[in-house]
Amino acid sequence: PQAKYSSTSTTMPELIRLLGGNDTPSGISVYAKDFNTKEDMLSYMDAWNSAVEKARSAYYEENGTYDGYDGPTEVSYSDTVGTLMGMVNTILDAITYVLVAFTAISLVVSTVMIGVITYVSVVERTKEIGILRSIGARKRDIRHVFNAETFIIGLCAGLIGILVAYLLQGLINLILTPLTGIAGLAALPVWQAIIMVCISVILTLISGLIPASAAAKKDPVIALRTE
């Protein structure tokens, strides 16, 4: 018989079992000793369910119906730890995206400021540019001078940033390890540090292209007259 005790229909034997009137277990809790073992268990159950689905399909193809099927049945499971880890990863991803956005804004601002500083350097060294041109320096030589300066600025800025990051990494881990019991929460791999230095150099070179081009186009006669 069917009885409506909620928004879904439940049979009387199922209701009795849920209320504890039947010793038939309604579920089994399995605890893995580590994450690797948990993944192995999930893979095994997924493989079992896939085999059951194939058996059901074979029975249906043979009989044209699922009625009377008495073969193996699927294992319904819930990965509580996996669900919690998924929620934590979602939160961490959101925080990462926010930090990346702030970092991108900082990079844009720093790129503009480096371009302004390079342009100011060009304006202040107009006479020096005129002297270099008068003794035989070509336009591309002048451009190379300012490009080299921006390259050095970007390289030094990147190296200083990486050094500060590694110092803060040690300090943060020193504080968080006793509080959380997890070592190495803050980490900056070497390959990521190298990529950051390269990005710093590329951005500074890009920001210095226009000022360097403006310096190369200056008329040496007018530049020599500048005080």
Side-chain angles (χ1 to χ4, degrees):
Q2 296 283 339
K4 283 187 174 290
Y5 298 95
S6 62
S7 59
T8 58
S9 298
T10 307
T11 61
M12 186 62 70
E14 292 175 349
L15 182 61
I16 293 175
R17 185 177 64 179
L18 292 174
L19 293 176
N22 191 332
D23 58 358
T24 302
S26 58
I28 300 174
S29 297
V30 180
Y31 301 94
K33 64 179 181 179
D34 52 35
F35 284 103
N36 292 331
T37 305
K38 181 180 78 69
E39 294 300 327
D40 293 339
M41 292 169 55
L42 295 178
S43 299
Y44 180 83
M45 287 186 288
D46 290 338
W48 170 267
N49 289 337
S50 297
V52 171
E53 180 64 26
K54 292 180 180 178
R56 284 184 182 276
S57 299
Y59 181 87
Y60 182 82
E61 292 176 359
E62 182 178 351
N63 300 280
T65 180
Y66 291 111
D67 296 338
Y69 174 78
D70 58 353
T73 57
E74 292 86 352
V75 176
S76 299
Y77 64 89
S78 58
D79 183 10
T80 305
V81 175
T83 303
L84 293 176
M85 292 299 296
M87 295 173 60
V88 171
N89 288 332
T90 301
I91 295 173
L92 291 177
D93 289 340
I95 296 173
T96 301
Y97 295 148
V98 172
L99 293 177
V100 168
F102 280 112
T103 304
I105 295 173
S106 301
L107 287 175
V108 172
V109 173
S110 62
T111 301
V112 173
M113 290 303 299
I114 291 173
V116 171
I117 292 172
T118 307
Y119 182 76
V120 171
S121 176
V122 170
V123 173
E124 291 180 347
R125 297 160 62 185
T126 302
K127 191 168 185 178
E128 178 183 338
I129 295 171
I131 295 173
L132 290 174
R133 291 296 307 278
S134 64
I135 62 177
R138 296 165 297 181
K139 289 185 178 181
R140 65 179 181 181
D141 295 328
I142 303 299
R143 191 180 298 112
H144 290 165
V145 168
F146 289 95
N147 286 337
E149 289 184 359
T150 54
F151 173 83
I152 293 173
I153 291 173
L155 181 61
C156 293
L159 293 176
I160 292 173
I162 296 302
L163 178 61
V164 172
Y166 276 118
L167 292 176
L168 291 177
Q169 170 184 316
L171 180 62
I172 292 172
N173 287 331
L174 187 63
I175 296 174
L176 293 181
T177 300
L179 295 177
T180 62
I182 303 175
L185 281 176
L188 179 62
V190 176
W191 65 271
Q192 291 183 1
I194 295 174
I195 291 176
M196 290 181 180
V197 173
C198 294
I199 292 175
S200 175
V201 172
I202 292 172
L203 289 177
T204 52
L205 285 175
I206 292 174
S207 64
L209 288 177
I210 296 177
S213 179
K217 292 178 181 179
K218 284 187 176 294
D219 190 331
V221 176
I222 297 176
L224 285 172
R225 293 176 180 175
T226 303
E227 293 293 338

